[in-house]
Structures are given as C-alpha cells and as structure tokens.
Amino acid sequence: MENGAKIYVAGHRGLVGAAIVRALEKQGFNNLLLRTHKELDLTRQAAVEDFFHKEKPDYVILAAAKVGGIHANSTYPAEFIAVNLQIQTNVIDAAYKAGVKKLLFLGSSCIYPKFAPQPIAEDSLLTGPLEPTNEWYAVAKISGIKMCQAYRLQYKFDAISGMPTNLYGPHDNFHPENSHVLPALIRRFHEAKVTGAKEVVVWGSGSPLREFLHVDDLADATVFLMQNYSGIPHVNMGSGSEVTIKELAEMVKEVVGFQGELKWDLSKPDGTPRKLIDSSKLAELGWEAKIPLKEGLVETYKWYVDNVAC
Ligand SMILES: NC(=O)C1=CN([C@@H]2O[C@H](COP(=O)(O)OP(=O)(O)OC[C@H]3O[C@@H](n4cnc5c(N)ncnc54)[C@H](OP(=O)(O)O)[C@@H]3O)[C@@H](O)[C@H]2O)C=CC1
Ligand SMILES: C[C@H]1O[C@H](OP(=O)(O)OP(=O)(O)OC[C@H]2O[C@@H](n3cnc4c(=O)[nH]c(N)nc43)[C@H](O)[C@@H]2O)[C@@H](O)[C@@H](O)C1=O
C-alpha cells in the first residue's frame, strides 16, 4: 500500500477494526475511509454499491461482521449466517466492481473441523464436521474465503483471507452473555470484586484449550499481509500459545485481584475441545506475535476499568 492510499476499514469501531486503524495510523497511513454502521449498513447491497462507486477506495480491510461468543453463536444462528453472508458478499463484490486494488477478508479459526489435527494447518479446511455451537458463523466465513478465491480466479481480483484465532484487547465487547470468554471473565471478576461476592461462576468444565492473540498483534499482522501476501490460500493468524479455560480464569482472577472462589457451571457448553492453529505460514512470510497473554490481560483490564466499568 503506497503512502496516501485511500484505505477503507469496514467495522472501524469494533475490537479488530479499531486496532487496524491504530496500526495503519502508526505506520503513516492517514487517508482512511471510515463509516459507522449507522452511516452505512453493509447488509444493504444498493447502499454498499453506491458507497464504493462514489468513494472508490484503493484498498479494503473487511473487519465488519456479526460477532459473538459461544452463547450468542448458539442463540442467534440465523443472524450469524445471514448477516455475515450479506456483509461479506456485498463488500467483496462492490470492491471488485469499483476497481479496488486489494481486499483482505477476516475469517475465524472456527472454520476448521471440530476434531482437526492440532495445530490446525490451513489445508484442514473442509476435511470434517464443524463444531455445532458456531457452525452457522463458520459456514458464512468459509463462504467468504471461497468468494475471495473465486474472484481471484475468475476476475484476477487481489482478494486475500486471514484467519485469526481468539482475540482480545481494548474495545472488546464486555456483554455478560454475548461476549467471548476473556472479556466476559474480566467483567464478572471485576463486578464480583467490587460487590464483595464470594464466588464467580465460569461456564463449562474449564478443560477446553484456547489460543489467544492480542488485537494489536492481529492488526499488525493484517497490515503485514496487505503489504506482503497475495495468494489463493487463506493464512492462519495466531500466537502459537494456548491455555485451558481454567488457567485463563485463574489468570483473570489474579489480574483483577478477586479473592473468592471459582464455580464451574457444567450446564453451559464447552464448545470445541481445542483449536490451536498452525501459523507457520505467517511466520515463514516474516511475522510473529509479540504480546504475551499476561501482559495483554493486564492492559485490557486497565482499559476496561478506565472505559467500561466507570
Ligand atoms: N473477536 C474475536 O475473538 C475474533 C474476531 N474475528 C473476526 O474479526 C472481525 C472483527 O471482529 P470484532 O472486531 O471482534 O467484532 P466487533 O463486534 O467488535 O466489531 C464488528 C464491527 O462490525 C460492525 N458491523 C456489524 N454489522 C454491521 C453492518 N450491518 N453494517 C456496518 N457495520 C457493521 C460493527 O458496528 P456496530 O458495533 O455499530 O454494529 C462493529 O464496528 C470479524 O470478521 C470476526 O469474525 C476472528 C476471530 C476472532
Ligand atoms: C473466536 C471464536 O469464538 C467462539 O468460539 P469459542 O472459542 O468457543 O468462544 P468463547 O470465547 O465464547 O468460549 C470459549 C470457552 O470459554 C468458556 N467460557 C467460560 N466462561 C465463559 C463466559 O462467561 N463467556 C463465554 N463466552 N465463554 C465462557 C466457554 O464455555 C468455551 O468453552 C465462536 O463462537 C466464534 O465467535 C469464534 O470465531
């Protein structure tokens, strides 16, 4: 991406979009094209086409999506498949038609089969059944990868896909039920500390393993791929290190400073048992994660206290 290029970041007020804006600005890209959901509803095809026709961005990073944790994914399957298919189909097609030079689509590690061999390489895609708690979202994300590949093959459109692992950081969604595990636990432990509660309930058995990547690392990797990768296969974006949900809960408890007990709610789903992705392709291209989980947790908790809990 050249200096002064007009870059459209879709979803710039979300966890990922906000971090991508920070990363681009840090690297000197100041001609950013940004629209809130209210200003431009990406599920509306005519509005999206009109926007691209008028604005003609040079580059597009697609970080707008319907996103949520295990409970939201299981509770709103229709929204997770329909909204995501609509947003990504409208944006990828309109970007191609408007002559965009390059587009990056963000998927998710939930695209892989529930029992894929670990660490999960890119070529595990479509080799087995999906995890039922997020199959609707996963099918939409797989379609996004395939759409980028099809547009590259038929139209020579430079569309690439990155598959991030579980993310966290400032501007995350801290909703008590609909968020992902890390922000949910930050909020629950903080509220328990403030109210003097004796215990905190954590969902499931605590045994599932998850790989976490700080969103500033993800944003850095996204800009890196825009600058250094053009190919048909999607690229995994992970940190390479994983923890059990029990270990994560103990870490959040310590960072927040909660003194009580943990209680496990076995009526809640565990989801996929393990999803460590193989990010060696990204490493071979020359990128690796930098922010350790403990450091990122401390910083994210501070952001939560300063911006959400107050
Ligand atoms: N968070 C995670 O752990 C992971 C995220 N990802 C991927 O990263 C991307 C970004 O996720 P994340 O930042 O966490 O999600 P957020 O929910 O934090 O942000 C999503 C953004 O998309 C916008 N958006 C949603 N619907 C529309 C719409 N119809 N029109 C316009 N804008 C819309 C939202 O705006 P508004 O809030 O106003 O609705 C928001 O700015 C997604 O593709 C997701 O799949 C991948 C792996 C893990
Ligand atoms: C990134 C990825 O994220 C989602 O998949 P997930 O990794 O299963 O998501 P999660 O963060 O919600 O849960 C991780 C684990 O943590 C446990 N857990 C404990 N206590 C809470 C809790 O309080 N909230 C939540 N949400 N989970 C909890 C929970 O039971 C599960 O075992 C996809 O739907 C999809 O969005 C996607 O792409």
Side-chain angles (χ1 to χ4, degrees), residues 68 70 73 108 137 166 179-181 188 203 210 269-270 275:
I70 195 164
N73 268 271
S108 160
Y137 176 73
N166 292 47
S179 65
H180 289 104
V181 58
R188 212 169 295 142
W203 299 355
R210 291 292 182 271
D270 270 344
K275 51 175 171 177

Side-chain angles (χ1 to χ4, degrees), residues 64-68 72-73 76 79-81 83-84 87 137 141:
K66 170 84 185 164
V67 180
N73 268 271
Y76 312 109
E79 286 175 50
F80 272 84
I81 191 163
V83 171
N84 285 313
I87 291 175
Y137 176 73
K141 292 295 186 184

Side-chain angles (χ1 to χ4, degrees), residues 258-277:
F258 172 68
Q259 303 291 337
E261 302 294 319
L262 298 190
K263 191 178 167 196
W264 296 92
D265 180 354
L266 297 175
S267 73
K268 294 286 198 297
D270 270 344
T272 196
R274 189 180 180 201
K275 51 175 171 177
L276 176 66
I277 54 176

